[in-house]
Amino acid sequence: AELSNMYFGVMGLGLSIIEREIRSTYGYKSNDTIRIILLSANLLVTIFLLISLYFAYKMMFNWMKARGFLGKYDDLINTGIYKGLIAEMIICSLSPLPFIYNETFIEYAYNFGVDISHFYNDILLALSF
């Protein structure tokens, strides 16, 4: 289970980095189709990662139950295991998205008197996986 989580995480990160390099090399207005395909594949990999996370926690819970660490009436909710699962799912769901691939926000740098634009997907890429 951990191997599949790592696989999906690394694959999503790789797809995001390739998309970022294409945008920085050729400009943000070119190769839109390839970039959207890469980001869509990244979204699909992220969904697979979230599903894999759930099953990893479920397998850990079943192992704990089989070893006798938990009672027969325990589940993911009343043991509190779901808190770690939800936190990990939120962290892993921060990845670049295909429907905001050219969206930016602009901030004004008062010290230099210039506008600085940031792509939302770059911020998500810095926080992802």
Side-chain angles (χ1 to χ4, degrees):
E2 293 297 323
L3 182 62
S4 66
N5 292 344
M6 186 205 59
Y7 173 75
F8 288 130
V10 169
M11 179 175 272
L13 189 61
L15 290 170
S16 300
I17 290 171
I18 290 169
E19 185 274 331
R20 171 69 173 93
E21 289 298 318
I22 288 173
R23 189 187 70 221
S24 65
T25 303
Y26 300 109
Y28 71 94
K29 291 187 179 183
S30 64
N31 297 321
D32 281 346
T33 306
I34 295 171
R35 289 179 52 219
I36 289 175
I37 289 171
L38 287 170
L39 287 173
S40 298
N42 180 30
L43 180 64
L44 187 65
V45 166
T46 302
I47 291 169
F48 287 152
L49 174 62
L50 297 178
I51 292 169
S52 177
L53 279 172
Y54 171 76
F55 283 115
Y57 271 84
K58 188 71 172 165
M59 284 178 17
M60 180 187 69
F61 174 77
N62 289 338
W63 178 83
M64 290 172 65
K65 202 169 193 178
R67 298 290 295 173
F69 298 130
L70 300 172
K72 68 178 186 176
Y73 297 112
D74 288 334
D75 59 8
L76 284 173
I77 302 297
N78 64 12
T79 57
I81 296 174
Y82 75 96
K83 294 175 188 174
L85 172 64
I86 290 174
E88 196 167 350
M89 283 182 146
I90 289 171
I91 290 169
C92 288
S93 65
L94 296 174
S95 66
L97 301 168
F99 45 85
I100 60 168
Y101 74 101
N102 273 343
E103 296 295 322
T104 61
F105 75 93
I106 299 171
E107 68 174 322
Y108 183 74
Y110 292 103
N111 296 341
F112 303 105
V114 296
D115 289 332
I116 301 172
S117 64
H118 303 280
F119 287 93
Y120 286 115
N121 275 341
D122 287 347
I123 295 169
L124 289 174
L125 178 59
L127 298 174
S128 67
F129 304 106

